[in-house]
């Protein structure tokens, strides 16, 4: 009788150990340091899907919405040279996490004429 109970207990604990799920690995963040990128409105200039005009950067040819800075932080986005009407260049530092750019620093570069 003891061996049956012991076997059942071992089987139960073995089953419970197998039922545990391993946590999902989060994607490693890609760090960007002082890289020159295109910056503009993601919807208006980069044709990204979103809810409203939102600041985006294009890093290595791929656009990312920006967290940490707003589209109007650099002037009127709908002005003549605003982000909704023109693509500008900027030097950015931050990281790409969950397909979004987490900005630590954005420095607009002067327009070359």
């Amino acid at each position: 009788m003891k061996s049956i109970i012991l076997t059942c207990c071992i089987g139960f604990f073995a089953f419970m150990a197998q039922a545990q799920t391993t946590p999902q690995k989060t994607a490693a963040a890609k760090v960007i340091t002082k890289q020159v990128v295109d910056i503009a409105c993601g919807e208006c200039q980069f044709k990204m899907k979103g809810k409203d005009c939102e600041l985006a950067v294009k890093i290595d040819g791929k656009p990312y919405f920006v967290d940490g800075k707003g589209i109007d932080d650099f002037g009127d986005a709908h002005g003549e040279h605003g982000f909704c009407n023109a693509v500008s260049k900027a030097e950015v530092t931050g990281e790409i996490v969950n397909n979004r750019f987490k900005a630590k620093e954005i420095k607009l570069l002067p327009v070359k004429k």
Side-chain angles (χ1 to χ4, degrees), residues 63-103:
Y64 299 92
F65 283 120
V66 174
D67 292 331
K69 299 287 184 184
I71 195 162
D72 288 318
D73 289 351
F74 302 93
D76 181 13
H78 294 101
E80 183 180 352
H81 300 289
F83 290 137
C84 290
N85 295 315
V87 177
S88 298
K89 293 285 187 187
E91 183 181 87
V92 299
T93 298
E95 56 188 8
I96 299 170
V97 179
N98 294 328
N99 221 23
R100 292 185 70 90
F101 181 70
K102 310 290 183 184

Side-chain angles (χ1 to χ4, degrees), residues 21-55:
T21 59
T22 56
Q24 294 285 339
K25 292 182 180 180
T26 57
K30 180 179 179 184
V31 177
I32 306 296
T33 305
K34 293 189 176 188
Q35 184 172 338
V36 176
V37 300
D38 289 336
I39 186 168
C41 174
E43 288 190 354
C44 298
Q45 296 297 319
F46 298 148
K47 307 302 180 213
M48 298 170 72
K49 291 184 180 181
K51 297 176 186 168
D52 200 3
C53 292
E54 190 176 346
L55 187 62

